[in-house]
Every structure is written in C-alpha cells, then in structure tokens.
Amino acid sequence: MTAFGELLAEHSFDPGDPGTPPKAMDDWERALDAYDAASRALRGRKQVTVVPQLLQQGISALEDLEARVSGAPLPQQLPPCFFDSRHGQATTEVRWAPSDGAKRLIAVCAADAIRLREGSPRSLSGHLASAEEAEVVDSPPLRPADDLPVPWAIGLLVLLCGYAAALAAAGDGPGAFVAVIIAGITSGVAILSGLLFVGATVDLWALVRRGHLTQAAFARSTAGPHGAHEHVYVVTDASGRQREYTRHADSRTAKPVPIRSVWYLPKPDGKGKAVSSWAPLWLPLRILVALPVLLGSAAVTLYLIPGRLIIALLS
C-alpha cells in the first residue's frame, strides 16, 4: 500500500497536459480508484484478502496509462507474480518445476525471473528455484562464436584495399594506402561518436519529456570488468518491472548507500532506463562533445572516401 501510494504521488502524469488521450484519463482514474478501494478495505480489516487484487488493478491501470501516453501498444496482461502477489504484476513467463514435480508454465515478476535465471537457491515464497529447474521462455539464446560477423570484416578490408588500388591507378599512388588507413580510423571515430550522440539525445529527450527523480534501493555488489567493483541498485517502475542502475565503486571495501536518487526515463517501447542524478548535466555535455567530433570525423572520412578518388579522376 505504501509503495503504491508513493508511486501515485511521484508519477509524472499531468491530467491537465494538452493532447492527453481521453483513455489515459480513464486509466489514471482507475489507478486512483483502486488505491482508494484498497485503503478502505485495509482499514476495515474485513476484506484484507482483496487488497492485493485491488493494488494489482491499479498497477495494470498505470501500465496502460504509460503505454497510451507514449504511443506504445497496450501491454499484455499477466496475472500477479506466481511466487508472491506482493511482487506485483508478472512481466514474463518461465517454465518452472518444484523439487518433486513436473515443469509447468508460470508467470513471474522481473526480479524472480532474474533469480531463476541466475540460480538463486530459494525464492521469497520458499519454492526451490534452481537454474536447472527453470527456463525463461522469452530469453534470446546467445550467439555462438562461429556466428560473429568475421566475413563482414574481411569483406570491408577487401573493399578498402580495392579502393586503395583504385586511387593508385588514378594517379594518387603515394598516399593511397595512408589515406585508406586514416579513413578507417576516422570512420570508426564517426561511428562511435554517432552512437554516443544518438544515445545521449534519446535519453535527454526522454528525460525532458517524462523523466522523474526516484529512489533506487541497493541490491548487490558485483565484480566489473578489469577488476573494477560495482554497486547495483534497483528501480521499480509503474508496471512493477525492475530496472537496474550500476554505479562504479572506488574499491571493494567501499560501502554502498542503501538508497540513491536516480532519474527514471520511460521509453516508448516500455523498456525504461535508470540513469545518474547528474544526467541533466552530463547528457547535454555528451551531445556538445559528440556532435563536433561526429561532423569532423565524417567530413574527413568523406574527403578520403570517395573524395580523393573523385579528385584524382577529375584532375
């Protein structure tokens, strides 16, 4: 009850915004009505068993609301989490079997799906849930090493060598291979800066449009790449799905704070994102740095490929 009340109080939806879909207002009213009904039932102490169902109706209403406002399709309605209805609405289906039973398809929340996938020894409900017993249905299989795009890299290398040969044949022999090497470097810089620019722009737009500050709870500490240490925090969105926010720690002995303020960025595809509380500062900074690097490296690449060849053919 407390968590759902805070979720309503901190929600970014404004009924007075122009262009709000009419059905979004209905979803908002359904969420408020569900909270009021659950509050009355909890105070009465006679219908406590209906409180989880009422809160689940409110969470479903908020999930529909976010889908309508963002223009995404309405989410599939799944029952509450199999292991504990207090976890909220299920987000995926898994094949699970108790220690003495056969596998069956059950609906679980995002946190329990992670526990099943990682082989957590026991869920909150007490059911055994080992990695051997569970199989997440919608998890895409990992690509084997044989499927990595090595032929594409070889093909690109052949094209660059062919371009260098064409430059040499057109009379620009001395700098042909040097131009190709430099073009390969600048094109890589252009791709990386372009990805950085697009990612920062998308996140900044989501932040300005519907982002809101929320609280993330510490979940676990993990070993990051190259011996680094990381603290993982968890944010629960309006639909009950959990998003992780990772913060690098100074050392293995650094103690994490139990609660950290983060920005939550809803996305049109329903896959929200949690970013640092400094996001309003470093997202514009990333854009300002990435844009000139992107334009400069792209201009140099275009001058070298195919600009040098065109100049050599026309001269």
Side-chain angles (χ1 to χ4, degrees):
M1 280 294 300
T2 302
F4 185 63
E6 292 175 352
L7 187 63
L8 289 174
E10 298 174 0
H11 202 279
S12 60
F13 178 71
D14 185 359
D17 282 347
T20 300
K23 291 187 177 181
M25 285 294 302
D26 296 338
D27 295 331
W28 182 246
E29 291 177 359
R30 283 196 295 122
L32 296 178
D33 291 342
Y35 179 74
D36 291 339
S39 299
R40 290 193 300 270
L42 195 60
R43 287 194 300 268
R45 302 286 183 182
K46 295 181 179 180
Q47 295 179 326
V48 177
T49 55
V50 305
V51 171
Q53 288 81 2
L54 291 171
L55 293 181
Q56 182 57 47
Q57 293 174 13
I59 292 175
S60 299
L62 286 182
E63 190 175 20
D64 291 345
L65 168 66
E66 291 193 349
R68 294 187 201 278
V69 172
S70 63
L74 292 181
Q76 178 186 4
Q77 296 299 328
L78 293 174
C81 178
F82 170 80
F83 292 113
D84 195 330
S85 60
R86 292 173 298 177
H87 296 178
Q89 184 175 6
T91 60
T92 188
E93 292 183 320
V94 302
R95 295 191 182 281
W96 173 85
S99 57
D100 56 351
K103 282 190 176 183
R104 78 285 305 272
L105 196 64
I106 60 172
V108 297
C109 65
D112 277 331
I114 294 174
R115 276 193 288 270
L116 292 171
R117 185 181 294 114
E118 294 181 350
S120 176
R122 192 173 294 273
S123 70
L124 292 182
S125 65
H127 290 288
L128 292 176
S130 65
E132 292 77 13
E133 293 172 335
E135 173 190 354
V136 179
V137 175
D138 60 351
S139 297
L142 296 177
R143 295 175 61 190
D146 295 340
D147 292 340
L148 295 178
V150 175
W152 290 99
I154 297 176
L156 179 60
L157 181 61
V158 171
L159 289 176
L160 290 177
C161 292
Y163 179 76
L167 274 179
D172 193 9
F177 286 96
V178 175
V180 169
I181 293 174
I182 296 176
I185 296 174
T186 55
S187 62
V189 173
I191 293 174
L192 293 177
S193 58
L195 293 174
L196 180 64
F197 173 77
V198 171
T201 302
V202 171
D203 286 346
L204 182 61
W205 174 248
L207 175 66
V208 172
R209 189 179 179 206
R210 300 192 59 217
H212 56 276
L213 272 174
T214 186
Q215 301 297 315
F218 173 74
R220 65 185 184 277
S221 295
T222 60
H226 308 296
H229 200 60
E230 298 174 339
H231 295 156
V232 180
Y233 294 81
V234 173
V235 179
T236 303
D237 63 13
S239 63
R241 290 188 294 262
Q242 293 184 325
R243 310 298 180 191
E244 291 188 349
Y245 166 69
T246 302
R247 182 179 178 86
H248 295 283
D250 296 332
S251 66
R252 291 182 178 273
T253 59
K255 293 183 178 180
V257 296
I259 299 294
R260 183 173 294 277
S261 295
V262 298
W263 282 93
Y264 181 71
L265 313 180
K267 296 296 182 69
D269 58 1
K271 298 179 179 179
K273 182 179 182 181
V275 296
S276 167
S277 57
W278 291 92
L281 177 62
W282 58 256
L283 282 176
L285 185 61
R286 279 189 177 184
I287 295 174
L288 292 176
V289 172
L291 182 58
V293 174
L294 170 62
L295 296 177
S297 56
V300 173
T301 303
L302 290 176
Y303 166 72
L304 297 173
I305 302 175
R308 289 285 293 266
L309 181 59
I310 295 175
I311 293 174
L313 292 175
L314 293 178
S315 61

